[in-house]
Amino acid sequence: MALPNELLLSNLLSHNVKCDQGLDHGQGILAWMHPPVHRILGWATKPSVLSLSRSVWRLNQLKIISNLDIYTKGSPALSDQSTLDRFPTLIDASLLNKNNEKIGVVADFVFEINSGRILYYLISRSNPKLPGTSRWRLSLHKIVDQQPGLVITDFLTLDDIPLIKSSLREDFLKNSKKLKQDFKKISY
């Protein structure tokens, strides 16, 4: 299967990585990013549960994506978890509004495969690892400031940015707000 133009980080990390020698290097565990310019440089995989080493891949080593596997060209760079923990990232960073109140967490992002340029981030209101949680689309121009673990925006609530994926809870909250407003209009 040919490479798509754009890819979701969670889709990249959910595939097993196999090199051109046919070796299985395991699933992705984190993105190798350069946050100041909103770019992904590569990703890291964990070859096995017992292994202390990690395989680090450059984005330009990505060649084929199938349903379950990613095929790469060349060998990875070897590293360890303590080195990878020092990589700067915005994933799981707290999202603050213009009043410096936490309103969400950076859960994922969409990027161009050829350049590594991040197109937009996906925001979760609560724990991003919970299945079925809502995702909001955060455009890069909405980011005022950033640092590892923290992103500051120029809006007040998540309702000020587009909702990409809605959870049942979010649908219920929106419908109940609408019913409440309609009831107030009728009662007046």
Side-chain angles (χ1 to χ4, degrees):
M1 182 172 157
L3 290 175
N5 292 334
E6 300 172 0
L7 189 61
L8 193 63
L9 173 66
S10 57
N11 288 344
L12 176 72
L13 297 181
S14 67
H15 287 72
N16 272 340
V17 176
K18 295 184 179 178
C19 66
D20 53 5
Q21 297 174 354
L23 300 174
D24 188 353
H25 292 272
Q27 282 192 333
I29 53 172
L30 65 87
W32 173 24
M33 297 177 65
H34 187 53
V37 293
H38 304 288
R39 189 164 178 246
I40 178 173
L41 304 171
W43 76 104
T45 60
K46 185 176 180 180
S48 73
V49 177
L50 300 175
S51 176
L52 296 176
S53 70
R54 305 293 184 259
S55 300
V56 181
W57 304 91
R58 293 183 321 274
L59 198 57
N60 64 358
Q61 288 181 281
L62 182 62
K63 296 303 172 196
I64 299 172
I65 297 178
S66 70
N67 290 339
L68 301 173
D69 297 318
I70 290 177
Y71 296 94
T72 60
K73 183 177 181 182
S75 299
L78 295 179
S79 186
D80 56 50
Q81 190 61 46
S82 63
T83 302
L84 296 182
D85 289 339
R86 291 187 296 236
F87 282 9
T89 184
L90 293 180
I91 297 298
D92 294 330
S94 296
L95 181 72
L96 302 180
N97 65 7
K98 62 182 174 182
N99 295 337
N100 286 331
E101 300 166 336
K102 182 178 175 181
I103 57 173
V105 177
V106 177
D108 211 343
F109 58 79
V110 173
F111 65 96
E112 291 178 341
I113 288 184
N114 291 335
S115 66
R117 186 173 65 95
I118 296 173
L119 301 174
Y120 57 88
Y121 293 95
L122 295 176
I123 306 301
S124 174
R125 188 181 304 273
S126 59
N127 185 355
K129 292 173 179 55
L130 291 175
T133 57
S134 300
R135 297 285 189 262
W136 286 264
R137 179 182 174 152
L138 176 63
S139 299
L140 301 181
H141 71 274
K142 293 279 190 182
I143 296 175
V144 175
D145 192 15
Q146 67 188 20
Q147 49 190 286
L150 194 64
V151 176
I152 301 170
T153 60
D154 66 349
F155 53 86
L156 284 173
T157 67
L158 286 177
D159 294 333
D160 295 340
I161 58 176
L163 180 66
I164 298 289
K165 186 180 95 176
S166 178
S167 67
L168 294 175
R169 179 179 176 266
E170 194 63 36
D171 289 341
F172 178 75
L173 288 174
K174 279 193 174 189
N175 289 338
S176 64
K177 278 183 188 177
K178 186 177 179 329
L179 285 172
K180 202 179 211 182
Q181 289 172 349
D182 290 347
F183 182 73
K184 281 183 181 180
K185 285 179 185 177
I186 292 171
S187 63
Y188 289 133

